[in-house]
Structure formats: structure tokens, C-alpha cells
Amino acid sequence: MMKKAWLGFAGVMLSAVFLSGCGKKYEKVWIPDQSVETDQAETKEIKINSSESADDGTEANSGEYYTFEERTEKDGKIRSYLTGEMVNSAIGNRRPVAVMMSNDKEALPQYGINRAGVVYEAPAEGGMNRYMAILENYDDLDRIGSVRSCRTYYTYFAREFDAIYAHYGQSTFAKPYLANVDNINGLDGIGTVAYFRTKDRKTPHNAYTSGERLNKSILQLGYSESYDSSYRGHYRFAKDGRKVTLEGANGVDDAYKVYPGYVLNKPWFEYHEEDGLYYRFQYGAPHKGNEGQIKVKNIILQYCPSAHYATTEYLNINVQDDSYGCYVTEGRSIPIKWSKDGEFGPTHYYDMENNEIILNQGKTWVCIISAQDSPNVKLYGKE
């Protein structure tokens, strides 16, 4: 259930985005057939899920996605909180790291970003975007980054995943918020342990970390490596043998190309039917990490009211109050609205009938977009 009342501002803006960024105006959201079989022998399609309560108090259609109670170890593996896929238990039961990464041309490629289960992309000052790459499988990486400084809103994103936040410095406005998250700061005493500089880039684009350095820093700072006992995960993932298609939903639009509308790096995603993934591009070319072109299964476009801190270029992005967006997967998109579970809890994404969405298993890219820039978002069908 949604924890907050739906804002009038967001309701007005939703009508605008239905007509532009997320396609046709919604009249009614399709509700799935409750009699879908749960046979794992073949892939079953999930169009849009329903999380309404059944008569017995359980969630209707809960057989379509994995619940926290179903997250159990089997043959040395457990389901990842980041991707919904089975991973080695030592990795899946360990808190991830959330690493701030530069996107300046001088810093490319980003090292380690291909390993991220979830990536947040959000605007910083001057039209430039920065990434927060959330990684759980990072131990063998000898170079991660380049690592850049913190902005206020990223501390909340890291907390949503109970991640340890790695950054090299922070804005003046973000400094008080670092008290709310376990963090590894390059400007603190731990900085010489956690980070190193290379000679193949110019400062400030040459600060990197590694799996070994991160683990050593976490141990030295005394941070728990285990998820908090109250943590119950972030996303709902489709069960094995099931696939969220969104096909047949009222108001659904094709989304073979997705343009988030960022002005400086001008990124876009292209859907490939052969593997069901969205390939990432920016600066007019494929967006490559050090392990090849970036590919993701799900895209969430999350629109947030934003403004500048007085007399500065620093953005104050509101990631607390309910707003709206789009969910993109399997070549299609639907409008969504989102609500945060308390100040530090996860953000939940809902369709227009307040049913929490289900993600396909795999990597997810979250684009944080200033609400006033939502008309710049463009989705295109198959050519």
C-alpha cells in the first residue's frame, strides 16, 4: 500500500507526461488474469501485476514475484537483492557498495560499472550527470571509478539498498547527510586506504578504488558486512520462468528507444529483441565500461521536483515526496508513480491503480530526472 497521499502537483504533471514522455494518456490499467499457472517449465508472461489484498489477507498474484520469505539459500546460492538472480551466498548476503562515478569525457570509461546490479543516473551541476553504481560482485576488480564526490540525494539512494557509500568528497550541502549512511570518504583519513590515483587521467578524474581496498576500508571502519536485520529488499522480481511484458496493458507504449533527455551527454537506450536487453549509448556512441557496452534489463525513469540551492548551481532534488515516472522493459513502457517508504526506506513504484510493479530479473538503470525536464523524455517504437 502507498504510504503517502498522492500530491496534486504530481497528478497535474502526470497528465502532461502521459501525452509526451510516456506515451498515450491512461484511461485504465489492465489487471492480470488471476488464474495464471505457476509452472516453471516454460516462460509465463506477466503483463502488469496486482498487489491488492486477497480475502485471506495475503497478496493477490504474489505467486508472480519472489517475497522476502522465499529468499532462502540453495546449493550455496541465494537470490540477489539487486538483480533478483541467484548469486553466491557470500555475495548475496553481503551489503553492496554504492560507488559514485564520474561521467565527464575525460574520465571514460567507467571501471566496474558493468558489474553494477543497479545504477542511478542523476544530474549534478552544470548539466553533467553522475552515476552511483551499486555492486555486490566486486572483489576481483582492481580498478573501480573514477570516483567522484557526493551530492545530497545520493545518500538516500544508497540507504535504500542498505549499501556502503563510496565517494571522494562532497558538496557543502551534502556533508550533514553523510551522517545518515555508512560511507567511505576520500577526504577522510580512510581515503589513502580506500583510494588511489592513476597517471593516465588528470585530477579530479583519476581517483579510483578496488575490491581489495573497499573490503579493507569496510573492515577498518568497522562497518557491518551483513544486511540490517530489518532490511527486506527493494524491488519485486519476477519468478524464474516468468517474464514481465506489459503487453496488452491499457496505455502501454512501445519503447524500443528511450531518451532520458539529459542535455550534456545526450544518452539513450536501444532495445535488442534477441537478448531482451537495453543497450546504452551516450556522447553519440556506445556507452562502454571497461568490460564492454552497458546493457540492462529494466529502466526506471523517476521524475523528481528539483531546484537550485540559493545562489549556487548545486541541485536540490526532492527524492522524498511522491511523484511519477515510467517503467520500461521488454520493449514497452507504462506510466508509474512512486512513493518512498519513510525517510530512509526504499522507493516503491506503482502503476496507476496503486499496484506495485514487478521487475524482470536482471540489471536496472534508474534515471533521476527533474520534473520540469520530463517533456524532454522521448520513447520510440520499433523502426
Side-chain angles (χ1 to χ4, degrees):
M1 297 298 291
M2 296 187 70
K3 294 294 184 73
K4 306 175 184 175
W6 183 235
L7 295 181
F9 165 78
V12 172
M13 293 300 291
L14 271 169
S15 298
V17 78
F18 291 163
L19 297 174
S20 56
C22 282
K24 296 173 288 187
K25 185 175 180 180
Y26 249 60
E27 295 178 358
K28 185 179 180 182
V29 175
W30 179 85
I31 298 177
D33 180 0
Q34 300 293 316
S35 63
V36 176
E37 297 291 336
T38 58
D39 184 9
Q40 300 295 316
E42 59 178 311
T43 300
K44 301 292 185 180
E45 292 186 356
I46 307 172
K47 299 180 181 181
I48 297 179
N49 59 294
S50 172
S51 58
E52 296 174 350
S53 296
D55 292 339
D56 61 359
T58 62
E59 287 189 341
N61 221 32
S62 60
E64 307 289 6
Y65 60 87
Y66 288 104
T67 64
F68 174 78
E69 289 72 23
E70 293 174 297
R71 189 177 184 271
T72 56
E73 186 174 342
K74 182 178 181 181
D75 299 326
K77 293 183 178 294
I78 199 162
R79 200 159 300 280
S80 167
Y81 281 129
L82 301 184
T83 66
E85 299 167 325
M86 296 297 284
V87 298
N88 289 336
S89 296
I91 292 174
N93 284 327
R94 179 183 62 179
R95 295 171 67 192
V97 292
V99 184
M100 285 296 299
M101 291 191 180
S102 172
N103 194 35
D104 296 73
K105 283 187 176 181
E106 296 84 354
L108 300 178
Q110 290 96 4
Y111 285 77
I113 197 169
N114 300 87
R115 299 283 188 92
V118 178
V119 175
Y120 277 79
E121 179 176 17
E125 56 280 356
M128 178 56 71
N129 294 347
R130 287 187 183 174
Y131 305 127
M132 187 184 77
I134 308 178
L135 305 96
E136 58 186 359
N137 180 19
Y138 59 85
D139 297 87
D140 63 333
L141 295 177
D142 57 10
R143 185 168 173 173
I144 303 172
S146 67
V147 183
R148 294 302 301 273
S149 59
C150 166
R151 297 296 178 267
T152 304
Y153 31 97
Y154 283 105
T155 64
Y156 288 106
F157 302 150
R159 272 290 294 261
E160 293 193 25
F161 290 85
D162 197 22
I164 298 170
Y165 182 46
H167 60 104
Y168 206 105
Q170 64 283 321
S171 70
T172 300
F173 304 101
K175 190 171 184 178
Y177 293 86
L178 288 169
N180 299 323
V181 60
D182 289 343
N183 70 95
I184 305 171
N185 191 346
L187 295 184
D188 288 344
I190 196 68
T192 55
V193 176
Y195 304 101
F196 64 97
R197 291 196 180 272
T198 64
K199 296 182 179 179
D200 60 347
R201 302 285 189 276
K202 293 181 180 180
T203 304
H205 308 298
N206 63 347
Y208 294 88
T209 186
S210 67
E212 181 180 1
R213 285 173 176 268
L214 287 170
N215 286 328
K216 186 175 181 180
S217 299
I218 292 168
L219 180 64
Q220 187 166 316
L221 289 167
Y223 294 148
S224 173
E225 296 184 63
S226 301
Y227 281 101
D228 188 89
S229 59
S230 65
Y231 188 69
R232 293 294 183 270
H234 194 296
Y235 299 133
R236 289 180 172 180
F237 287 104
K239 287 194 171 183
D240 293 339
R242 295 183 177 274
K243 181 171 65 175
V244 179
T245 68
L246 306 180
E247 183 180 359
N250 289 337
V252 68
D253 270 334
D254 288 339
Y256 275 71
K257 285 190 176 182
V258 179
Y259 292 81
Y262 298 124
V263 296
L264 194 57
N265 59 329
K266 294 181 171 59
W268 75 95
F269 300 85
E270 293 184 2
Y271 179 65
H272 287 217
E273 290 183 321
E274 63 272 17
D275 59 10
L277 299 177
Y278 282 88
Y279 287 55
R280 166 98 177 174
F281 297 79
Q282 66 169 3
Y283 295 120
H287 184 180
K288 295 181 179 180
N290 66 299
E291 295 180 327
Q293 187 169 5
I294 295 169
K295 309 167 189 177
V296 298
K297 187 65 178 178
N298 309 290
I299 302 170
I300 294 175
L301 307 175
Q302 183 173 337
Y303 304 103
C304 303
S306 68
H308 289 91
Y309 287 103
T311 71
T312 76
E313 292 189 10
Y314 290 102
L315 285 171
N316 183 10
I317 299 178
N318 185 345
V319 298
Q320 296 292 335
D321 292 331
D322 303 358
S323 193
Y324 61 100
C326 295
Y327 170 42
V328 180
T329 194
E330 292 293 329
R332 299 182 178 90
S333 72
I334 59 168
I336 57 172
K337 46 192 176 180
W338 60 266
S339 180
K340 191 165 169 58
D341 189 7
E343 183 177 7
F344 300 117
T347 298
H348 298 281
Y349 302 93
Y350 303 88
D351 65 26
M352 292 300 104
E353 292 187 350
N354 294 341
N355 303 311
E356 188 164 356
I357 66 171
I358 299 173
L359 300 185
N360 282 306
Q361 292 184 31
K363 298 175 181 179
T364 298
W365 193 284
V366 183
C367 292
I368 302 297
I369 300 168
S370 295
Q372 59 267 34
D373 295 330
S374 61
N376 297 330
V377 175
K378 305 296 180 185
L379 309 178
Y380 295 96
K382 189 175 182 181
E383 294 181 351

